[in-house]
Structures are given as structure tokens and as C-alpha cells.
Amino acid sequence: MIDLENFSRFSTRTDRRCTLICGRSGIGKTHQRARKGSRVPSTKQGQSRLGSSSHIASLVREEILEEFCRELLGSLSRRDQRRWGWMYIRGLLVSDGRKSMRSIAATCRQPASQQNLQQFVSNSTWQWMEVRRRLARIICGNLKVSSWVISPLVIPKAGSNTVGVDTQFVSHLGRSVNCQRALGIWLAQPGMSCPMDWHLVLPPSWADDTFRRRSAAIPSDVKSGSPWGIGLDALVTIINDWGLPVRPVVLDAREADAAEAIAELHRLRIPFIVRVNRATRFTRTGWGDGRRHEETGQSAESLARYLKEQRRVVQWQDTEQNANQGVLAAAMHVDVPGAETEPNPSVSPFAPVSTDLPPGRRAFVLIAEWRDSVQGRPSFWVSNLTRMSVPSLLACANLGRQVYRDQERISRLVGLYDFEGRSFGGWHRHVTLVSAAHAFIVLNRLHTLLGETPRAGGAATTRNVKSPWQET
């Protein structure tokens, strides 16, 4: 549990520890050198070309990759595990096309490498959570993280043998898909983001099937549950057990019970920006005479009639696009039914953000955002950061879209969608090493040269599927 009295020093102390962890290697120095200019390392010895399936023409420096893996995989007790971990991450970065065991093993040039890599990922005993913890601290030491983003992941699959695969309805696609569903916990700042933790969202056909659970070695404590609940539990564990800084969490709750999600976030005193659907009900709150004035609960869509008269152009800087982004938006203070209970500081795992959550004050901010058309339906966001400006809140909310772009053009490029196998642990180890490959690209600024990343079929990955953050 975080010491509430020492919260003011918490983030600084954590960031300093992360810097010390990275300071023993060349990772941070390489990142700092890359930030000073747009040039990337030249094609000299000790370097290898990133997969030709991408538009990127830069190089992966072998010596820096070895140093990065040495720091990241230091918790693995056996030398051979650390070696195979380095080879796997390298294979994700430099192999062409789909990241199968065969294509990754082809980059190793060692006898029996495919069998050994398969054993290392699917049947080994190394703990992926410790590697993720180290990766998170490396990222915190080199990036100025502004938000956590809980982002959904849909991986289309053929067949039904891969762990967690079933035919499921995907709302943002508007149809049923044979797929895996998962959640990623991302650290994000304007211009870049990186996944830290992953969780499979098991359908009942897997969670309730004893034979499937046994054959996939699914732990007994892994159950089927609501995605936002799984994501929130994961975030609490990350911040409490990994010692990472508290930052606002961006979450899309349009398919969830938004009032329940907001109430739980508020109870834990987590700063948040939550996207809700137009049917979510609120009560308006008036502050003009110093007293609370509540009306009968209304849907967000009904309240948009009042907000439409107040909307104005809101702009913020999109560092990735290197341009100002602008939308029409308006905001009002509201209450959320079900989030009225006073949080109990003695059991809260997070320090209260006193400037944004004054005791006894239950107002939230509801923002309506007209992104696609002046006359179209708005998007709705709710936040407990009541003293942040609307442009700042929308800039933070927009990090969800950035995470999706980075997922498609970086994580997908290095194999996020490519795991095949029944092993629950194998999937987790694979996506952990994919996160490491993603982090290596981000820390060395290679992502700045990535545009629309084509796959083997030639179509850009960012256009293959609709974004779950898009308007509906």
C-alpha cells in the first residue's frame, strides 16, 4: 500500500530508481542521443536491418540490443534462458513477415534453435511478471509518462486450438469474429507509448471448461470477467507491487456498466478519464449559489442538448502528427449515480489527488466532443480531474487513439498477433517479449521512421481493422 503522507515524493523517488536501473547500461544514453537528431545509426558492422516487411530503413544496433536484453532479462536465473530470451527478442525485431518459431529460429543460426525457442516460450518456468516489472521500470526511467491506458486487443484467428480463441461478438467491428480477446496496460506520453502488461479475457467456453483449462495450464485464479474489471485489478497490482507512479488512467467503458466502473475508480481514488456511451445517466450539478442543485438523472445524449449551445473549438498539440488537433467540445459538472459513497482513505491503495478530489465534493466533469461532424453525435468522456482544462483532458483522452496506432504499427510489426499454441503461459511469455521488442524500438526512436506499416499482403496494418477507440 502506498504511503499517503509521502505521496508528494513518491513519483520523483520512483523515477530516480528507474534511472539508476537504466544508468548501468547504454539504453538511456542511446535514447538521449537519438532525441538530439533525427539521424539513425549507419550501416556498419554490428548492426542488422529491421525486417523488410516494414517501411523503416534504419538499423538495430546489436551491441545496444544485447545491453538492453542483459538489463531486462537479469531476473532469469539460468544463463541459457537469458541467451534464448535475447535471441527471441532479436528474432522479433529482425525476421521478416509473420513471427513464427521457424522464422525467429532462422535468425539464430544455431542447431536445434527452433526446438529450444519453443521450449523457452511455451514450456519453460521463467516468470513473465518479473520481466514485465523490469521493463516498466526501464521505460519509466527513460520516458516522461503522463498516463496509463487500458486498451482492448482483438486478435483474429483461424481454428479454435489457440488458447482463448472462440467466436465472439466485437462491437467496434459490428460482427462476430473467431478471435482472442485481451487487454493491454500501456504507459503513454504524447508522441509515444509502450505496453507493460497483458491479460487474456477468457470466454466462458475456456474459463468453464475443465479439460481446456488443464490442457492449456490456465491457473485456477484466472476467471472469466468483465474486461474493465480485469484491467483495473491489473493496474492496481502494477502500481502497488511494482512501485510505479500514479498517473491518470484512460479507459473506454462504453461496453461496460459505466457507473460501476466510475464508482470503483473513484473509490480507489485513481485519477481517470473514462469514455462512456450516450445512454449513461448523470445528474446535473449547479454551483452558482454555493449549494448543490440536482435534477432528475438524464442520459449523456440528453445533456448534449445543453452542451451543444456551449461548445467551442478546443485545440491541443499532437506531437506525433506535429500539428494542432482541434474539435468542438463543451463540458459541465455532473454527478454519477452509484458513485456517491465517500471513499475510505484508510483502505485506499492510492494517494488522494487533493487538488482534484476535494473531500465531500462529488462532482465529475462530463465532456462532449464533436470530432467527426458538427451535426453528428458527440463522444462522451467523464473525469474526476475537475480542475484540469478541457484541452488538457481531451489531449490525455486522445492517448487511447495513439496507443492503438502504436499497437498496430509497432507491436503488430514485431509479432503481437502471431502466437499460435494452446499454452496459456506461452502466450504470456510471447507477448512479454513482444513488449520488450516494442520498447527497444521506442527507446531508440526507431518508431519515428514508421509510417503506415505494411504486412506481407501489402495492406497497411493500421487499416486492416477498425479501431476500438473510433466513433460509433
Side-chain angles (χ1 to χ4, degrees):
M1 183 176 292
I2 296 173
D3 183 356
L4 305 187
E5 297 181 356
N6 294 327
F7 175 67
S8 61
R9 298 188 296 275
F10 171 71
S11 296
T12 303
R13 187 169 65 250
T14 301
D15 293 342
R16 187 181 301 119
R17 286 201 302 267
C18 296
T19 303
L20 291 175
I21 290 175
C22 292
R24 296 193 297 271
S25 69
I27 301 167
K29 296 178 182 178
T30 303
H31 176 57
Q32 292 167 4
R33 285 199 301 270
R35 280 191 299 184
K36 295 179 181 179
S38 60
R39 296 188 63 187
V40 295
S42 60
T43 55
K44 297 181 180 179
Q45 64 179 6
Q47 302 171 348
S48 59
R49 183 170 296 278
L50 198 67
S52 60
S53 61
S54 70
H55 284 176
I56 193 168
S58 63
L59 305 171
V60 175
R61 294 180 61 93
E62 297 282 3
E63 64 275 18
I64 299 301
L65 177 59
E66 290 183 18
E67 189 68 21
F68 172 77
C69 291
R70 187 178 301 116
E71 185 71 32
L72 177 67
L73 304 174
S75 64
L76 304 187
S77 58
R78 289 165 43 187
R79 182 182 302 177
D80 65 314
Q81 289 180 335
R82 296 192 293 273
R83 183 177 72 254
W84 291 117
W86 162 70
M87 289 183 178
Y88 199 91
I89 294 172
R90 181 181 180 277
L92 293 173
L93 288 166
V94 304
S95 62
D96 289 338
R98 184 175 173 276
K99 312 302 179 181
S100 64
M101 285 295 175
R102 178 176 296 180
S103 65
I104 294 173
T107 68
C108 299
R109 300 186 181 89
Q110 290 192 13
S113 56
Q114 183 175 342
Q115 179 181 352
N116 288 328
L117 286 171
Q118 182 73 50
Q119 172 70 25
F120 171 74
V121 169
S122 296
N123 302 315
S124 188
T125 58
W126 60 274
Q127 299 298 309
W128 58 82
M129 291 301 289
E130 177 59 25
V131 175
R132 293 179 188 179
R133 185 188 69 83
R134 284 183 172 241
L135 179 62
R137 296 173 77 85
I138 289 172
I139 292 295
C140 285
N142 287 279
L143 301 181
K144 188 178 180 181
V145 177
S146 59
S147 295
W148 293 95
V149 178
I150 301 177
S151 184
L153 172 65
V154 175
I155 306 177
K157 292 289 183 181
S160 59
N161 290 327
T162 299
V163 60
V165 170
D166 198 3
T167 301
Q168 306 173 72
F169 181 77
V170 181
S171 61
H172 68 271
L173 298 179
R175 58 189 173 88
S176 295
V177 181
N178 195 62
C179 63
Q180 283 176 317
R181 304 196 75 166
L183 281 177
I185 313 296
W186 293 65
L187 285 168
Q189 69 175 49
M192 64 183 68
S193 60
C194 190
M196 296 292 101
D197 195 20
W198 296 98
H199 292 268
L200 273 176
V201 180
L202 293 177
S205 60
W206 279 84
D208 301 336
D209 190 313
T210 303
F211 175 77
R212 277 182 157 182
R213 293 186 68 99
R214 188 188 312 113
S215 61
I218 299 174
S220 59
D221 60 337
V222 175
K223 308 292 184 182
S224 179
S226 65
W228 74 264
I230 294 172
L232 185 55
D233 288 345
L235 183 62
V236 170
T237 299
I238 285 174
I239 295 179
N240 280 342
D241 296 351
W242 295 6
L244 298 182
V246 177
R247 296 290 184 266
V249 57
V250 180
L251 170 68
D252 190 334
R254 284 178 293 173
E255 296 183 34
D257 183 334
E260 182 182 356
I262 290 170
E264 183 64 12
L265 285 162
H266 192 55
R267 184 187 70 81
L268 294 172
R269 297 192 177 185
I270 301 175
F272 63 81
I273 304 170
V274 173
R275 189 170 181 181
V276 298
N277 62 49
R278 57 181 178 269
T280 305
R281 302 192 70 81
F282 301 94
T283 55
R284 296 177 61 194
T285 303
W287 301 93
D289 59 358
R291 295 175 300 174
R292 302 182 63 185
H293 172 69
E294 299 183 350
E295 298 181 353
T296 304
Q298 295 176 277
S299 68
E301 188 172 37
S302 297
L303 292 174
R305 294 199 303 267
Y306 302 97
L307 292 169
K308 192 173 184 177
E309 300 173 358
Q310 307 170 24
R311 62 185 178 177
R312 58 186 176 84
V313 176
V314 174
Q315 291 186 325
W316 67 90
Q317 180 68 24
D318 188 328
T319 56
E320 184 178 42
Q321 303 295 331
N322 195 27
N324 285 330
Q325 295 290 334
V327 297
L328 288 171
M332 66 168 57
H333 285 97
V334 296
D335 285 328
V336 180
E340 300 296 325
T341 303
E342 286 286 336
N344 184 352
S346 64
V347 300
S348 172
F350 295 100
V353 186
S354 59
T355 58
D356 298 309
L357 298 177
R361 191 165 174 177
R362 295 278 66 80
F364 300 90
V365 176
L366 172 66
I367 301 174
E369 173 194 20
W370 285 263
R371 176 177 290 267
D372 292 338
S373 127
V374 173
Q375 299 301 326
R377 284 177 169 174
S379 304
F380 297 99
W381 298 88
V382 178
S383 177
N384 57 356
L385 300 171
T386 58
R387 298 188 184 181
M388 280 183 69
S389 66
V390 172
S392 296
L393 286 170
L394 287 179
C396 190
N398 195 58
L399 291 175
R401 301 174 190 271
Q402 178 189 292
V403 161
Y404 177 75
R405 290 197 300 267
D406 288 350
Q407 172 187 293
E408 290 298 297
R409 67 173 188 161
I410 304 177
S411 287
R412 186 166 187 163
L413 175 69
V414 295
L416 178 61
Y417 286 39
D418 295 342
F419 178 80
E420 298 288 347
R422 186 173 287 271
S423 170
F424 179 87
W427 182 87
H428 274 280
R429 295 186 186 95
H430 172 78
V431 296
T432 298
L433 299 173
V434 165
S435 297
H438 181 121
F440 182 81
I441 289 174
V442 168
L443 289 174
N444 288 280
R445 307 290 291 182
L446 303 183
H447 67 292
T448 59
L449 302 181
L450 284 169
E452 299 252 341
T453 307
R455 298 288 284 180
T461 59
T462 52
R463 294 178 182 174
N464 283 350
V465 295
K466 294 180 181 179
S467 165
W469 296 91
Q470 69 181 2
E471 313 309 318
T472 57

